[in-house]
Amino acid sequence: MAQRPPDPSAERYDPRADRDPPRVKEAAPGVSRDEPIGLRERLSLNRMGTFDWDLDSGSMELDAGAMEVFDLRPGECDGAPMSLVSRVPPEEGMRLDAALSQALQDGSSSYGAYFRVLCRDGTRRWTHSQGRILHDARGVAYRVIGIVREATSELADSALLRSLQQERQRQTVMVQQTTAALARALSVRDVTRVLTGAGGARRFGADALVLGLVASGRFEVIATTGLGGEVPEDMMTARLDDSLPLSEAARTRRPSFLSTRGELIARYPRLRPYTDALPTGSAAFLPLIAQDTVLGALGLLNHEPAVQSPEARNLALALAGVVAQSLQRATLFDQEREFATGLQAAMLPRRLPAVRGGEVTVRYHPASVGRDVGGDWYDVIALPQGRVGLVVGDVQGHDTHAAAVMGQLRIALRAYASEGHAPETVLVRASRFLAELETERFATCTYVQADLESGALHLARAGHLGPLICNSSRHIDWPEIAGGLPLGLATGFGHDHFPETQLFLEPGSTLLLCTDGLVEQPGRDITAGMAELSGLVRSGPADLDALADRLSDHLWARPGSDDDMALLLLHRSAIPGEAATPRMRLHVHQADPAGTAEVRSAVRRTLDQWRAGAVTHDVEVAASELIANALTHTESGALVSVELLPGAPPRIRLEVEDRSSQWPRRRRPGETATSGRGLLLVEALSDRWGAEPRGSGKALWCEFTVPAGPDGSGT
């Protein structure tokens, strides 16, 4: 039963009687309660003393308090400053002398310095000396009156203050570094890379880190760093219960802080078999909560045992909040990106048709940064008469609208190509189709019609990167391909003309088409990327799939790739038992005034690759004369072929084919004639020349012997 409180009105009631008796403080040693305390005792009680130093005589008088500060007994100080050497080490004496000498030199009226005293028991303690310097009428110092006191507690408080300031600065840096690193993380994969990468755990003041997410009612570990080994499979996923610290933190929404590994094992016995993999020190397990939704949990472990202070716990919870916000943002990003990339993937071909006489492989990668997808696409189209159509293109923009336009354009272009139209006609119709869509987007594209039985390639290009050809000898060529404006723009400007170029893909050679995402990086010239691509193809594996993987892994899959990429490789099979003859074929249009110059440039590059040496110029001049002859005296274009014929020595064979049955005539022009010297020049430059019928037309040919020696052997 509760007692009644005392009646305040009762006689002699004292309310202080119900209070706890006051604590009795211990009296100062050697001082009675009522005894008056003099100045000397007051100083001594505060571990202080005084000294009087006569600079003229050199004598120093210490009172009892000063003797106690220096840990000296009566008789151990004879009045000379040198008698303090037993208590003031030489390096500390130098500190005092320097402070006093500087004050005397400056004419100061006081000085002060911290130094350490070597006590009788061998320990050292901090002491402070402060003195008043007396000067005579001439300004000469003659006496120092001062105080010495113990300063260990004072400096300890100062060190603690500095330690607290340093700790606050460290915590501020941790928060700033973690926030800055996670601010650049867009996907969940980016977040885990920040947490487990170099210095990831140290940003949280930990030696090891474990991150897990809640998914479908279970807890799944997705990232670890700093542990003594791999996380066992049975620990990677768990139920949301209290058998493991992370799953318990996620289930209860409460953090837990443990001081040692032993305490951790005692609380979660399921971890006992994995003791060696866990750090021996403290641990913190923090729920990751964003907008009242539990996303997962974060574990921070240390090698040193420690009891986390309230400040350390608050810091850990704040950092967990930053991680939770980043994970929530990253999860939404991944969901949006999965939807966008799924939409784009559904618009690309699901399977490729079989290619007779060769093989084809493709690679496509969406951008690795940003939530939007691009409009890159590829297509392989089976055509009549065993031919195959190859398409690589890129719709302007990086968003779902670009992907939607890409899907419509791909279907339209595929339909036009399937009808068997020439490459120029296919791109003209595709450009008009895109111009009629309700969009302001344009598209670049390269379309190739390939006949692997003969090796003929017919190409048309609309503002897109041209093809790369690697022959069986690993010679790389970027042939010059005439092109038009991008699709859509070409029609809008009334220039929907896409000149067709004819090339030859010899047996054992590979044709490469790609979008600029493979060779172009921000801040770097595209020619550097093209050169790097050439080197990788030249030294790459012979297997087509392995080559495609190498190119996409080395060129595109860089951290932060901000453009999507489409890659298409076509390989023409080598003919068994037959050595492939290096060959180049180009088509010159009747109405193309720049065609001859382009052919000469292509011939020059090809002969340089074949190391033709001194005959390169002769072949180039002969090609110009034969092309001019065909364009002048016929109504068709010219098909130019250059072959490297084997033998000892090897020979260069040049052919120019046209559709005219009219046989060439060698004329004898006069001195003032402006024409008629073409065949004479060919005859003079070449070793052999002649003409052959070719179906509905003819072919003029000539051969050149490749000289041996440093200039090149042509092989």
Side-chain angles (χ1 to χ4, degrees), residues 556-575:
W556 178 85
R558 301 181 177 93
S561 299
D562 58 0
D563 197 3
D564 44 352
M565 179 277 291
L567 168 68
L568 188 151
L569 295 173
L570 173 70
H571 179 75
R572 185 185 180 194
S573 302
I575 301 175

Side-chain angles (χ1 to χ4, degrees), residues 130-154:
Q130 180 177 345
R132 183 76 175 181
I133 304 175
L134 305 181
H135 297 81
D136 59 17
R138 297 174 300 168
V140 178
Y142 67 92
R143 193 172 181 180
V144 179
I145 307 297
I147 297 174
V148 291
R149 56 183 173 84
E150 283 193 22
T152 302
S153 299
E154 172 188 334

Side-chain angles (χ1 to χ4, degrees), residues 618-675:
D618 295 344
V619 177
E620 188 179 341
V621 173
S624 298
E625 295 298 331
L626 294 181
I627 293 172
N629 183 75
L631 298 182
T632 302
H633 301 290
T634 70
E635 296 181 355
S636 65
L639 179 60
V640 183
S641 300
V642 183
E643 295 181 77
L644 178 61
L645 302 179
R651 291 167 296 130
I652 301 293
R653 182 180 176 90
L654 170 67
E655 291 186 359
V656 176
E657 183 178 345
D658 59 52
R659 297 179 183 177
S660 173
S661 59
Q662 183 179 0
W663 212 251
R665 292 183 302 165
R666 183 170 52 185
R667 294 185 291 173
R668 298 291 180 181
E671 294 182 1
T672 60
T674 59
S675 63

Side-chain angles (χ1 to χ4, degrees), residues 107-183:
S108 301
S109 60
S110 63
Y111 82 98
Y114 286 96
F115 63 98
R116 284 177 295 183
V117 170
L118 180 62
C119 297
R120 192 178 304 278
D121 59 4
T123 61
R124 297 193 179 205
R125 67 187 181 198
W126 281 101
T127 306
H128 184 261
S129 174
Q130 180 177 345
R132 183 76 175 181
I133 304 175
L134 305 181
H135 297 81
D136 59 17
R138 297 174 300 168
V140 178
Y142 67 92
R143 193 172 181 180
V144 179
I145 307 297
I147 297 174
V148 291
R149 56 183 173 84
E150 283 193 22
T152 302
S153 299
E154 172 188 334
L155 292 183
D157 293 340
S158 176
L160 177 61
L161 179 60
R162 289 197 302 271
S163 176
L164 292 176
Q165 292 175 342
Q166 292 173 356
E167 179 64 17
R168 282 194 290 268
Q169 292 175 354
R170 186 183 71 87
Q171 293 178 357
T172 301
V173 170
M174 287 170 58
V175 173
Q176 291 175 342
Q177 290 180 343
T178 303
T179 303
L182 290 174

Side-chain angles (χ1 to χ4, degrees), residues 199-492:
R202 298 309 306 166
R203 292 192 187 98
F204 296 84
D207 299 309
L209 179 148
V210 182
L211 174 67
L213 298 181
V214 175
S216 302
R218 295 182 64 83
F219 189 86
E220 179 180 358
V221 175
I222 64 170
T224 64
T225 183
L227 298 179
E230 297 292 331
V231 178
E233 286 295 329
D234 61 336
M235 291 290 172
M236 293 298 292
T237 59
R239 294 177 299 177
L240 287 176
D241 54 23
D242 57 358
S243 62
L244 291 174
L246 287 176
S247 60
E248 182 187 34
R251 183 182 66 85
T252 62
R253 295 177 170 234
R254 292 196 300 269
S256 59
F257 299 92
L258 305 171
S259 301
T260 64
R261 182 174 64 184
E263 186 178 348
L264 174 64
I265 299 299
R267 184 165 176 178
Y268 303 99
R270 188 177 169 186
L271 295 175
R272 190 175 303 279
Y274 316 108
T275 301
D276 294 340
L278 299 172
T280 58
S282 60
F285 301 97
L286 315 165
L288 301 177
I289 304 174
Q291 295 184 351
D292 201 34
T293 300
V294 179
L295 304 177
L298 177 67
L300 304 175
L301 301 96
N302 293 279
H303 294 309
E304 297 296 331
V307 177
Q308 291 93 331
S309 64
E311 292 81 6
R313 297 188 179 194
N314 291 335
L315 175 64
L317 292 173
L319 293 176
V322 174
V323 174
Q325 294 292 335
S326 299
L327 280 174
Q328 185 185 49
R329 183 181 66 249
T331 301
L332 293 175
F333 169 85
D334 286 343
Q335 291 173 351
E336 294 179 10
R337 181 170 176 78
E338 182 179 1
F339 169 77
T341 54
L343 171 65
Q344 186 174 30
M347 296 181 179
L348 294 173
R350 295 188 178 182
R351 55 181 177 270
L352 304 179
V355 177
R356 187 172 60 187
E359 59 178 324
V360 64
T361 189
V362 295
R363 294 292 184 272
Y364 171 78
H365 291 290
S368 64
V369 299
R371 65 169 45 86
D372 296 326
V373 295
D376 289 21
W377 90 94
Y378 63 86
D379 208 347
V380 181
I381 310 164
L383 300 177
Q385 301 175 352
R387 297 170 300 165
V388 62
L390 310 171
V391 185
V392 166
D394 183 5
V395 174
Q396 174 201 15
H398 292 84
D399 50 28
T400 52
H401 181 59
V405 172
M406 177 272 289
Q408 298 176 77
L409 182 59
R410 186 185 78 83
I411 294 173
L413 194 148
R414 184 183 184 88
Y416 300 143
S418 299
E419 294 175 352
H421 296 293
E424 179 178 7
T425 303
V426 171
L427 293 191
V428 168
R429 294 192 176 189
S431 179
R432 293 175 181 176
F433 171 83
L434 182 57
E436 292 173 359
L437 290 179
E438 294 182 359
T439 179
E440 296 180 353
R441 305 297 176 93
F442 61 84
T444 64
C445 177
T446 295
Y447 174 60
V448 180
Q449 194 178 88
D451 182 358
L452 293 188
E453 184 175 352
S454 65
L457 303 176
H458 297 267
L459 301 89
R461 187 170 62 88
H464 199 79
L465 189 67
L468 175 150
I469 295 180
C470 175
N471 65 17
S472 57
S473 300
R474 295 302 179 97
H475 289 153
I476 303 298
D477 186 28
W478 292 88
E480 293 185 6
I481 307 298
L485 295 175
L487 303 180
L489 288 181
T491 302

